[in-house]
Amino acid sequence: MSEKPKRVVVGLSGASGMAYATDLLQTLRCLEGLEVHLVMSQGAKRVLVEEMGKNPEEVEALAHAVHRSQDIGAPIASGSFRTLGMVVVPCSATSVAKIAYGLADNLLTRAAYVHLKERRPLILVPREAPLPIPTLEALLKAAQAGATILPAAPGFYTKPQSIEDLLAFMTQRILDLLGLEYPRAPRWKE
């Protein structure tokens, strides 16, 4: 029997919070034996440039495989493509709604749908504020469907000294939810 592949799918959608995504991708790249599959929405590409001054190719270089959002025939669109899970970071309100209601109209939302149907970890990292009722309802629906909702809300009990410390907190939470070991941030009372 073959060993389960160590793959993670990372989706970037068009919300503010690209620093969370790049920190996660840089950290995942450090994990030996882990294959990172990336899909970015068109909105994500725009926010990446606007928010961080990075072109998409710089971020794509952090992944082992890059899939175009229009390519719904990509491997990550199939349940037979085994992964440890998927993270959508940042996850826009539009992506939350599409995922919550199974609207798989692009590769990012299709891959998320596959993770839900296959009962694999799907972590949505919304970074919107304030949250209107339609988004709250979509977040609840996504959670009921099996997604983990992890708001981009770093903790301060670790006494962060920099933005990097705040990013590390969120990355550590994502790694924990995926079952991946890598010391990225201090833990409570450890």
Side-chain angles (χ1 to χ4, degrees):
M1 192 138 178
S2 65
E3 188 178 316
K4 185 177 179 182
K6 286 183 67 176
R7 300 181 185 128
V8 171
V9 177
V10 178
L12 279 62
S13 68
S16 180
M18 289 298 161
Y20 292 112
T22 57
D23 189 79
L24 175 65
L25 287 165
Q26 288 166 345
T27 302
L28 291 174
R29 191 68 182 191
C30 295
L31 298 175
E32 195 170 319
L34 182 70
E35 201 175 283
V36 179
H37 289 257
L38 176 65
V39 58
M40 283 193 273
S41 71
Q42 289 305 114
K45 291 178 182 181
R46 177 165 183 175
V47 173
L48 194 57
V49 171
E50 300 272 341
E51 194 169 88
M52 298 188 74
K54 289 184 182 270
N55 66 48
E57 292 77 23
E58 290 176 79
V59 174
E60 289 172 348
L62 298 171
H64 296 91
V66 177
H67 307 282
R68 302 289 163 230
S69 63
Q70 304 85 353
D71 184 8
I72 58 169
I76 63 173
S78 173
S80 66
F81 187 78
R82 296 185 299 169
T83 72
L84 298 175
M86 179 176 181
V87 183
V88 182
V89 56
C91 190
S92 68
T94 299
S95 293
V96 166
K98 287 180 178 185
I99 291 165
Y101 292 95
L103 301 175
D105 65 343
N106 61 53
L107 184 57
L108 189 149
T109 55
R110 170 64 190 175
Y113 172 82
V114 165
H115 281 78
L116 289 176
K117 83 177 184 71
E118 297 295 329
R119 303 284 193 248
R120 294 186 191 133
L122 173 63
I123 303 159
L124 306 181
V125 185
R127 212 250 24 98
E128 301 275 348
L131 295 170
I133 289 173
T135 302
L136 289 168
E137 289 174 342
L139 286 166
L140 176 60
K141 185 91 170 155
Q144 289 170 333
T148 297
I149 310 303
L150 179 64
F156 290 86
Y157 57 83
T158 59
K159 298 182 179 46
Q161 301 298 305
S162 66
I163 291 173
E164 289 74 24
D165 291 346
L166 296 172
L167 298 173
F169 180 92
M170 290 305 300
T171 294
Q172 186 70 65
R173 296 301 311 262
I174 293 167
L175 295 175
D176 289 349
L177 289 168
L178 290 171
L180 295 171
E181 292 293 328
Y182 189 81
R184 187 65 183 91
R187 297 175 182 281
W188 176 248
K189 302 279 186 181
E190 282 189 15

